[in-house]
Amino acid sequence: MRRSLIASLAVVLTAVLVPALALAKGASEATIAGPGLASPIRLGGSGEPGSGSQLARIAESAGFFQAVFRQQPDPMRSHRPRGSLGPRYRITYVMPGPNGRAARIRQDVYPFAKRAPVTYTAPGQRFFVTERTRGGWFVASTTLRKLLVAVGVPARSSAG
């Protein structure tokens, strides 16, 4: 009886954890484009959460994982935050997928928004063949601005 219970628990845990781990994958690269950049900024490396790479830290701070994978509690907002957002930068993440198919997920970033940096990810962007982004607006901390400046985004808004 005890062995069958342990075997059943192992099967259940595997069924729950394996898909979750597969979905925890992050981007393999990203490109940042926007005002004040002579050319797009390219980031590579492991974009998986917790990896510590510049790509992963920017993705985590920008709400990328919250916008792509549904999470509870859900921090995504359906309406644009009030106030001036300032200039828009675009991060295009490359998400590896099955059979070597990569998806591109676009996220608009407003590092100089009046109250705090803000990002917007359009809902419905495809990845992993059948999955779609949750999307929405995400209010980030000032850490996002610092990380973007560290990789080459101008330290001040060119809009004033």
Side-chain angles (χ1 to χ4, degrees), residues 74-159:
D74 186 356
M76 303 308 294
R77 299 178 179 188
S78 58
H79 298 329
R80 176 190 185 277
R82 293 181 186 207
S84 172
L85 297 183
R88 179 189 77 181
Y89 291 81
R90 173 158 291 167
I91 302 177
T92 303
Y93 299 93
V94 176
M95 291 276 292
N99 302 324
R101 289 184 168 167
R104 285 180 167 51
I105 297 177
R106 289 160 190 80
Q107 182 180 57
D108 293 336
V109 180
Y110 302 88
F112 304 105
K114 189 166 185 145
R115 295 182 183 172
V118 173
T119 66
Y120 176 75
T121 306
Q125 296 180 65
R126 286 185 179 264
F127 66 100
F128 297 161
V129 181
T130 60
E131 300 296 317
R132 293 182 182 267
T133 58
R134 153 73 171 99
W137 292 91
F138 180 82
V139 178
S141 73
T142 56
T143 298
L144 175 59
R145 183 181 311 123
K146 292 174 187 171
L147 291 168
L148 292 170
V149 168
V151 297
V153 170
R156 299 201 190 285
S157 167
S158 59

